Amino acid sequence: MAHFIRLRATKAAAVAVASGGTYAFLRDPSVSANDRGGGGPALESFRSKIGDPYTVVPPRAVQESALIGASPANPLDILVVGGGATGCGVALDAATRGLRVGLVEREDFSSGTSSRSTKLLHGGVRYLEKAVFNFDYGQLKLVFHALEERKQVIENAPHLCHALPCMTPCFEWFEVVYFWMGLKLYDLVAGPRLLHLSRYYSAQESVELFPTLARKGRDKTLKGTVVYYDGQMNDSRLNVGLACTAALAGAAVLNHAEVISFLKDEGSERITGARVRDNLTVSMAEDAVDAAIKSGKLSPGNKCLTYNLRLVGGEGWDPASFTVLAQQYVRMKKTYGGKVVPGVMDTAAAKHLSHAYGTLAERVAAIAQNENLGKRLAHGYPFLEAEVAYCARHEYCESAIDFIARRSRLAFLDTDAAGRALPRIIQILAVEHKWDKSRQKQEVQMAIQFLETFKSSKNAQFHDGKHK
């Protein structure tokens, strides 16, 4: 079925295309890229809604209807094509400015490079060396920019980010002095954006902290190590958090929806919409969605608010909040014989839920307790059955691959464990999404094919899913 939504006809165009980590964003010059710092009632309103632990993201069907339902009286201001970190960030920024935003992603949020990053939040330490030795102020500006970006991500999503110690072994005293002085300069430049002070560890201290560290290298004896701290993030869940936060802010976000072509005004050749195909229709009937990109001067209701807005699950989160889960919830598990038995919400599971879902972790724990979904999906890993149900209901998890690759990352941690967990994951998703046997079989085939891509190297030998 085709749906057509007419646009407002005005002078300028506003388009956001996000793909492969980059985007082109054309808008009226009156909307500056540097107008962050907005606040007041608008910020508090968004904070209240997004920070509410009982808030619920709009279901996918509602989001699809919102895109199809755009009309001349109520068109979209911006259509974002691509649901990676950049695309979802653009959608969130625009939605919190009071603009009407739509976003479509042909696969899943963070299915591309956004889930295959280094997981590091670089503070720009590598640029500092060039800045000093080349007297390059441009490189120094990059350091400041990287430090600010790192600080911003950690503040916006504290439950998904943490400080990571990075150790540099030194086998000459010159190296000790060189790296120590360089990193102390980095500490000074970082100022209030510093995660932890860098420091020197003697050879004995280093080996005690890192038993596998070699005492000898290049025919030289270890003199010690210098440690500094950078940031680390859960990239795929950060991306999903951006998408869900954008949805709560009012954006219509839709994964597994592919742009087939753009619609243009015959006279001016301006893009006036997009033809979109729902890839979940048997996460194949084409809907022509004239997703109204307002081809005129944008009039946001307020300045950029995302600088001071935490992602869903981040507002009010505390690193010690996992203790509440461990003390107040149990993991009710169904045995293979169908008997329901209680299990302890151990520290590992509680910490995992707290860091993955932030203040919303209690929702997942409640599902584990009240719906008998407290069993682990894979031995040795903290992922629970309840997470599958929660992600299907509240995080647009539309396929088994969505879960094993981007909601839990089990596929990246242990492909064999992910394969063993597949039947139960698909069983739970089938209940949530009302899949028939044919769809379940298709999910198994697609997920197995996806996991095989981790073992595709002709030169690699595997044993139990690990390189030999």
Side-chain angles (χ1 to χ4, degrees):
M1 180 184 297
H3 302 272
F4 296 93
I5 302 96
R6 304 303 302 173
L7 305 181
R8 279 180 272 190
T10 44
K11 295 180 181 178
V15 183
V17 181
S19 177
T22 60
Y23 71 97
F25 188 42
L26 311 178
R27 60 185 176 188
D28 187 86
S30 63
V31 184
S32 169
N34 298 316
D35 64 343
R36 62 170 58 165
L43 176 61
E44 290 307 313
S45 175
F46 283 120
R47 274 182 172 171
S48 177
K49 184 174 183 179
I50 294 169
D52 183 358
Y54 298 101
T55 192
V56 178
V57 298
R60 187 178 184 277
V62 172
Q63 300 287 60
E64 186 175 20
S65 297
L67 285 174
I68 293 173
S71 66
N74 195 27
L76 294 181
D77 294 316
I78 296 174
L79 175 67
V80 183
V81 182
T86 299
C88 290
V90 169
L92 174 58
D93 190 316
T96 54
R97 290 174 189 247
L99 299 173
R100 189 157 184 261
V101 183
L103 178 148
V104 291
E105 160 60 46
R106 67 177 179 179
E107 295 182 24
D108 185 26
F109 306 120
S110 81
S111 60
T113 55
S114 294
S115 62
R116 295 175 174 86
S117 73
T118 63
K119 318 295 185 280
L120 292 178
L121 295 168
H122 292 289
V125 66
R126 60 185 175 182
Y127 303 124
L128 185 60
E129 184 179 35
K130 295 179 181 179
V132 171
F133 287 102
N134 298 335
F135 297 99
D136 190 338
Y137 181 65
Q139 293 292 322
L140 186 60
K141 287 175 65 177
L142 287 176
V143 177
F144 287 129
H145 178 73
L147 286 167
E148 186 62 28
E149 289 295 311
R150 184 181 71 182
K151 173 178 173 287
Q152 192 59 53
V153 173
I154 291 175
E155 288 185 353
N156 282 20
H159 57 302
L160 297 172
C161 308
H162 63 272
L164 179 73
C166 302
M167 172 180 278
T168 302
C170 302
F171 293 91
E172 293 182 358
W173 286 115
F174 170 77
E175 292 180 331
V176 172
V177 175
Y178 179 82
F179 287 118
W180 184 85
M181 290 182 65
L183 289 171
K184 282 303 173 185
L185 178 60
Y186 179 71
D187 292 348
L188 182 65
V189 170
R193 294 159 296 197
L194 183 68
L195 298 180
H196 295 288
L197 284 170
S198 61
R199 63 160 295 178
Y200 163 76
Y201 289 95
S202 68
Q204 183 61 35
E205 290 174 321
S206 300
V207 172
E208 288 175 358
L209 289 170
F210 297 88
T212 58
L213 183 64
R215 282 182 173 271
K216 289 190 176 183
R218 298 173 294 180
D219 297 324
K220 296 178 182 178
T221 305
L222 181 70
K223 299 299 188 295
T225 60
V226 181
V227 175
Y228 84 100
Y229 290 81
D230 228 331
Q232 190 175 44
M233 62 174 174
N234 185 331
D235 57 357
S236 60
R237 287 207 58 79
L238 184 67
N239 198 155
V240 171
L242 281 168
C244 291
T245 307
L248 288 173
V253 301
L254 196 65
N255 57 348
H256 299 284
E258 182 176 4
V259 171
I260 304 302
S261 61
F262 287 107
L263 305 177
K264 295 183 179 180
D265 179 80
E266 292 183 1
S268 64
E269 289 295 309
R270 290 196 303 265
I271 293 177
T272 59
R275 191 173 182 85
V276 178
R277 180 176 65 198
D278 185 353
N279 287 335
L280 292 181
T281 305
V282 179
S283 101
M284 305 301 264
E286 286 191 0
D287 287 332
V289 181
D290 195 0
I293 301 168
K294 177 184 172 185
S295 53
K297 182 177 180 181
L298 296 179
S299 301
N302 42 258
K303 293 183 178 181
C304 175
L305 303 178
T306 53
Y307 189 74
N308 299 307
L309 189 67
R310 285 184 170 171
L311 299 189
V312 61
E315 191 68 43
W317 178 82
D318 185 272
S321 59
F322 74 93
T323 58
V324 176
L325 302 177
Q327 293 169 1
Q328 297 186 5
Y329 292 90
V330 295
R331 297 189 294 117
M332 300 303 291
K333 304 179 288 186
K334 231 179 224 185
T335 65
Y336 290 109
K339 184 179 179 181
V340 177
V341 296
V344 176
M345 184 65 76
D346 55 276
T347 300
K351 279 188 174 181
H352 158 66
L353 293 181
S354 177
H355 281 277
Y357 302 93
T359 55
L360 303 181
E362 288 196 52
R363 283 197 190 180
V364 187
I367 295 174
Q369 176 176 277
N370 301 332
E371 300 182 31
N372 306 327
L373 292 175
K375 196 172 182 179
R376 276 186 166 84
L377 289 167
H379 179 71
Y381 295 94
F383 308 114
L384 306 181
E385 294 175 335
E387 294 181 66
V388 184
Y390 176 85
C391 292
R393 298 171 193 175
H394 304 297
E395 291 191 350
Y396 305 112
C397 180
E398 302 293 335
S399 72
I401 296 176
D402 288 356
F403 185 82
I404 62 174
R406 294 172 286 273
R407 302 307 184 279
S408 71
R409 300 194 59 78
L410 183 56
F412 291 87
L413 297 173
D414 190 328
T415 54
D416 285 342
R420 290 191 294 270
L422 267 181
R424 183 58 178 146
I425 292 171
I426 292 173
Q427 187 179 39
I428 297 170
L429 287 174
V431 173
E432 296 296 325
H433 293 311
K434 299 179 173 57
W435 290 343
D436 57 20
K437 294 293 184 181
S438 175
R439 173 61 188 272
Q440 293 179 53
K441 184 178 179 180
Q442 183 185 26
E443 285 291 321
V444 171
Q445 293 172 343
M446 289 191 300
I448 290 176
Q449 185 178 8
F450 172 77
L451 290 174
E452 283 299 318
T453 63
F454 290 82
K455 305 178 181 181
S456 61
S457 174
K458 295 180 180 179
N459 298 321
Q461 294 183 9
F462 288 83
H463 178 69
D464 289 338
K466 298 177 177 62
H467 283 284
K468 289 182 68 177

PDB file of all heavy atoms in Angstrom, residues 363-375:
ATOM      1  N   ARG A 363      13.439  -2.737  35.548  1.00  0.00           N
ATOM      2  CA  ARG A 363      12.388  -3.290  34.671  1.00  0.00           C
ATOM      3  C   ARG A 363      12.772  -4.681  34.188  1.00  0.00           C
ATOM      4  O   ARG A 363      11.950  -5.589  34.135  1.00  0.00           O
ATOM      5  CB  ARG A 363      12.191  -2.385  33.462  1.00  0.00           C
ATOM      6  CG  ARG A 363      11.410  -1.137  33.720  1.00  0.00           C
ATOM      7  CD  ARG A 363      10.967  -0.611  32.381  1.00  0.00           C
ATOM      8  NE  ARG A 363      10.404   0.702  32.470  1.00  0.00           N
ATOM      9  CZ  ARG A 363       9.945   1.371  31.424  1.00  0.00           C
ATOM     10  NH1 ARG A 363      10.026   0.819  30.223  1.00  0.00           N
ATOM     11  NH2 ARG A 363       9.429   2.549  31.551  1.00  0.00           N
ATOM     12  N   VAL A 364      14.036  -4.813  33.783  1.00  0.00           N
ATOM     13  CA  VAL A 364      14.506  -6.114  33.301  1.00  0.00           C
ATOM     14  C   VAL A 364      14.500  -7.120  34.445  1.00  0.00           C
ATOM     15  O   VAL A 364      14.086  -8.273  34.268  1.00  0.00           O
ATOM     16  CB  VAL A 364      15.932  -5.993  32.715  1.00  0.00           C
ATOM     17  CG1 VAL A 364      16.347  -7.309  32.063  1.00  0.00           C
ATOM     18  CG2 VAL A 364      16.002  -4.863  31.698  1.00  0.00           C
ATOM     19  N   ALA A 365      14.950  -6.692  35.623  1.00  0.00           N
ATOM     20  CA  ALA A 365      14.968  -7.577  36.786  1.00  0.00           C
ATOM     21  C   ALA A 365      13.551  -8.011  37.167  1.00  0.00           C
ATOM     22  O   ALA A 365      13.334  -9.158  37.583  1.00  0.00           O
ATOM     23  CB  ALA A 365      15.644  -6.876  37.957  1.00  0.00           C
ATOM     24  N   ALA A 366      12.589  -7.102  37.009  1.00  0.00           N
ATOM     25  CA  ALA A 366      11.197  -7.435  37.322  1.00  0.00           C
ATOM     26  C   ALA A 366      10.660  -8.501  36.367  1.00  0.00           C
ATOM     27  O   ALA A 366       9.912  -9.403  36.763  1.00  0.00           O
ATOM     28  CB  ALA A 366      10.332  -6.182  37.258  1.00  0.00           C
ATOM     29  N   ILE A 367      11.044  -8.407  35.096  1.00  0.00           N
ATOM     30  CA  ILE A 367      10.643  -9.432  34.125  1.00  0.00           C
ATOM     31  C   ILE A 367      11.265 -10.772  34.486  1.00  0.00           C
ATOM     32  O   ILE A 367      10.604 -11.818  34.425  1.00  0.00           O
ATOM     33  CB  ILE A 367      11.052  -9.018  32.699  1.00  0.00           C
ATOM     34  CG1 ILE A 367      10.279  -7.766  32.258  1.00  0.00           C
ATOM     35  CG2 ILE A 367      10.818 -10.163  31.713  1.00  0.00           C
ATOM     36  CD1 ILE A 367      10.729  -7.196  30.928  1.00  0.00           C
ATOM     37  N   ALA A 368      12.531 -10.740  34.878  1.00  0.00           N
ATOM     38  CA  ALA A 368      13.215 -11.981  35.274  1.00  0.00           C
ATOM     39  C   ALA A 368      12.527 -12.630  36.459  1.00  0.00           C
ATOM     40  O   ALA A 368      12.423 -13.862  36.536  1.00  0.00           O
ATOM     41  CB  ALA A 368      14.676 -11.681  35.616  1.00  0.00           C
ATOM     42  N   GLN A 369      12.038 -11.809  37.365  1.00  0.00           N
ATOM     43  CA  GLN A 369      11.404 -12.332  38.579  1.00  0.00           C
ATOM     44  C   GLN A 369       9.940 -12.701  38.368  1.00  0.00           C
ATOM     45  O   GLN A 369       9.492 -13.776  38.786  1.00  0.00           O
ATOM     46  CB  GLN A 369      11.516 -11.284  39.690  1.00  0.00           C
ATOM     47  CG  GLN A 369      10.816 -11.665  40.985  1.00  0.00           C
ATOM     48  CD  GLN A 369      11.051 -10.642  42.063  1.00  0.00           C
ATOM     49  OE1 GLN A 369      12.073 -10.663  42.742  1.00  0.00           O
ATOM     50  NE2 GLN A 369      10.111  -9.715  42.240  1.00  0.00           N
ATOM     51  N   ASN A 370       9.199 -11.833  37.717  1.00  0.00           N
ATOM     52  CA  ASN A 370       7.746 -12.013  37.636  1.00  0.00           C
ATOM     53  C   ASN A 370       7.275 -12.859  36.462  1.00  0.00           C
ATOM     54  O   ASN A 370       6.160 -13.372  36.469  1.00  0.00           O
ATOM     55  CB  ASN A 370       7.067 -10.642  37.562  1.00  0.00           C
ATOM     56  CG  ASN A 370       7.396  -9.773  38.765  1.00  0.00           C
ATOM     57  OD1 ASN A 370       7.666 -10.270  39.851  1.00  0.00           O
ATOM     58  ND2 ASN A 370       7.374  -8.463  38.574  1.00  0.00           N
ATOM     59  N   GLU A 371       8.121 -12.982  35.429  1.00  0.00           N
ATOM     60  CA  GLU A 371       7.722 -13.746  34.247  1.00  0.00           C
ATOM     61  C   GLU A 371       8.568 -15.005  34.060  1.00  0.00           C
ATOM     62  O   GLU A 371       8.553 -15.608  32.991  1.00  0.00           O
ATOM     63  CB  GLU A 371       7.812 -12.851  33.005  1.00  0.00           C
ATOM     64  CG  GLU A 371       6.903 -11.630  33.098  1.00  0.00           C
ATOM     65  CD  GLU A 371       6.945 -10.765  31.849  1.00  0.00           C
ATOM     66  OE1 GLU A 371       7.158 -11.331  30.753  1.00  0.00           O
ATOM     67  OE2 GLU A 371       6.766  -9.542  31.964  1.00  0.00           O
ATOM     68  N   ASN A 372       9.309 -15.360  35.096  1.00  0.00           N
ATOM     69  CA  ASN A 372      10.109 -16.599  35.090  1.00  0.00           C
ATOM     70  C   ASN A 372      11.129 -16.623  33.945  1.00  0.00           C
ATOM     71  O   ASN A 372      11.343 -17.653  33.310  1.00  0.00           O
ATOM     72  CB  ASN A 372       9.202 -17.837  35.014  1.00  0.00           C
ATOM     73  CG  ASN A 372       8.148 -17.854  36.102  1.00  0.00           C
ATOM     74  OD1 ASN A 372       8.385 -17.372  37.212  1.00  0.00           O
ATOM     75  ND2 ASN A 372       6.977 -18.398  35.796  1.00  0.00           N
ATOM     76  N   LEU A 373      11.749 -15.474  33.712  1.00  0.00           N
ATOM     77  CA  LEU A 373      12.736 -15.370  32.649  1.00  0.00           C
ATOM     78  C   LEU A 373      14.104 -14.980  33.221  1.00  0.00           C
ATOM     79  O   LEU A 373      14.826 -14.163  32.663  1.00  0.00           O
ATOM     80  CB  LEU A 373      12.294 -14.341  31.603  1.00  0.00           C
ATOM     81  CG  LEU A 373      11.068 -14.716  30.762  1.00  0.00           C
ATOM     82  CD1 LEU A 373      10.663 -13.550  29.861  1.00  0.00           C
ATOM     83  CD2 LEU A 373      11.345 -15.956  29.922  1.00  0.00           C
ATOM     84  N   GLY A 374      14.455 -15.601  34.343  1.00  0.00           N
ATOM     85  CA  GLY A 374      15.689 -15.247  35.021  1.00  0.00           C
ATOM     86  C   GLY A 374      16.877 -16.127  34.692  1.00  0.00           C
ATOM     87  O   GLY A 374      17.968 -15.932  35.230  1.00  0.00           O
ATOM     88  N   LYS A 375      16.687 -17.075  33.800  1.00  0.00           N
ATOM     89  CA  LYS A 375      17.781 -17.982  33.461  1.00  0.00           C
ATOM     90  C   LYS A 375      18.803 -17.301  32.560  1.00  0.00           C
ATOM     91  O   LYS A 375      18.466 -16.456  31.737  1.00  0.00           O
ATOM     92  CB  LYS A 375      17.208 -19.216  32.752  1.00  0.00           C
ATOM     93  CG  LYS A 375      18.152 -20.396  32.680  1.00  0.00           C
ATOM     94  CD  LYS A 375      17.412 -21.617  32.125  1.00  0.00           C
ATOM     95  CE  LYS A 375      18.321 -22.826  32.087  1.00  0.00           C
ATOM     96  NZ  LYS A 375      17.599 -24.019  31.580  1.00  0.00           N
TER      97      LYS A 375
END
